[in-house]
Amino acid sequence: MTTSCCPITRWRRRKEVRPGEILDAALNLFVERGFKSTKMEDIARAAGVTKGTPYLYFENKEDIFKAVLRENLVTRLASFAELEQQFDGSSTELLRLMMRRWWMEVGESPLSGICKLMFAEATNFPELARFYHNEVIAPSHNMLLRIVQRGIARGEFRDINPHAVVDTLVAPMMLTMTWRCSLGRVITDSEHRTMPPLDYLDLSLDLMLNGLKTP
């Protein structure tokens, strides 16, 4: 009886984790090849499954891409929003925590390639671009906006356009993620990029936060 049960248990366990393996393979391929150049059979091959297996879980390549965003970015944004609501410290500390955590969890991972990918292929796949904007860009912008408005209301920050502040805050992060997945792979000896990415982002944030402080 024991021998006959083992293969079934392994099969069931393998079936449970298969969608995650497909999404991991898809993420790596999307980042390396681009969305247009990645085919469903490429994803299946990279995930180590048969050609038809991805269709058991996802309708098409677009569906897989949306699932990659939901599983890796949308869920993280939900945890960030929870942290935002529970944080009792200053708005400066909260902004610094958020920006550093985003880099550690996203910027240093293959997920950073999604930023470059969307810049490159947004006009070719407008539906996916809108999905990315609605599910990732808008929620993250609004979360940072609330923190900036919190700082203004508390008298920690100067009363300036909070939307412009958010755009200025995220620009160095977006540049660093895009550079890391594009020019940074080719130009490795650039003098202005000798600073480690996190140190560069800390410097950018320090400059911004000092400019935000009330006199």
Side-chain angles (χ1 to χ4, degrees):
M1 291 294 292
T2 303
T3 303
S4 63
C5 287
C6 287
I8 297 175
T9 302
R10 287 198 297 270
W11 180 83
R12 285 174 178 169
R13 184 178 300 116
R14 173 69 176 170
K15 185 176 180 181
E16 290 170 359
V17 300
R18 189 165 289 162
E21 294 172 347
I22 292 171
L23 294 182
D24 289 342
L27 170 62
N28 290 327
L29 287 173
F30 289 150
V31 170
E32 290 296 326
R33 300 184 183 180
F35 182 81
K36 183 177 181 179
S37 299
T38 300
K39 300 178 181 179
M40 288 289 279
E41 51 263 40
D42 298 330
I43 296 173
R45 189 182 305 110
V49 299
T50 61
K51 186 186 299 185
T53 300
Y55 291 101
L56 298 177
Y57 306 100
F58 308 100
E59 183 177 349
N60 48 40
K61 187 172 64 171
E62 288 77 7
D63 193 27
I64 291 181
F65 183 79
K66 291 178 181 179
V68 167
L69 294 184
R70 289 192 187 100
E71 290 295 319
N72 293 284
L73 294 178
V74 176
T75 54
R76 277 185 170 82
L77 286 174
S79 68
F80 277 42
E82 183 177 353
L83 172 62
E84 174 211 345
Q85 294 171 3
Q86 298 175 351
F87 193 81
D88 291 329
S90 70
S91 301
T92 294
E93 293 170 334
L94 181 53
L95 277 177
R96 191 180 299 280
L97 176 61
M98 289 289 192
M99 301 297 280
R100 287 181 63 89
R101 183 173 168 183
W102 181 265
W103 176 255
M104 299 293 288
E105 294 187 17
V106 177
E108 288 190 340
S109 79
L111 291 169
S112 62
I114 296 292
C115 182
K116 183 204 75 171
L117 175 67
M118 294 313 303
F119 275 126
E121 305 213 45
T123 55
N124 296 324
F125 302 96
E127 180 188 349
L128 293 182
R130 283 190 289 268
F131 181 87
Y132 180 71
H133 176 271
N134 293 338
E135 298 292 328
V136 179
I137 294 179
S140 58
H141 179 94
N142 291 335
M143 180 176 60
L144 291 174
L145 181 67
R146 290 192 298 270
I147 299 173
V148 173
Q149 291 172 329
R150 173 184 187 261
I152 293 173
R154 292 183 173 195
E156 301 172 55
F157 299 155
R158 293 188 291 128
D159 188 6
I160 55 180
N161 188 327
H163 290 280
V165 171
V166 172
D167 290 340
T168 307
L169 281 170
V170 300
M173 180 74 72
M174 295 174 67
L175 172 62
T176 304
M177 289 193 298
T178 304
W179 177 278
R180 179 178 182 270
C181 298
S182 56
L183 289 172
R185 294 186 177 184
V186 180
I187 305 172
T188 58
D189 59 349
S190 177
E191 292 182 0
H192 75 286
R193 286 283 168 180
T194 55
M195 182 180 291
L198 191 56
D199 291 346
Y200 164 72
L201 292 171
D202 278 338
L203 173 62
S204 300
L205 190 58
D206 279 340
L207 294 173
M208 187 63 186
L209 291 174
N210 283 323
L212 276 174
K213 287 180 181 179
T214 53

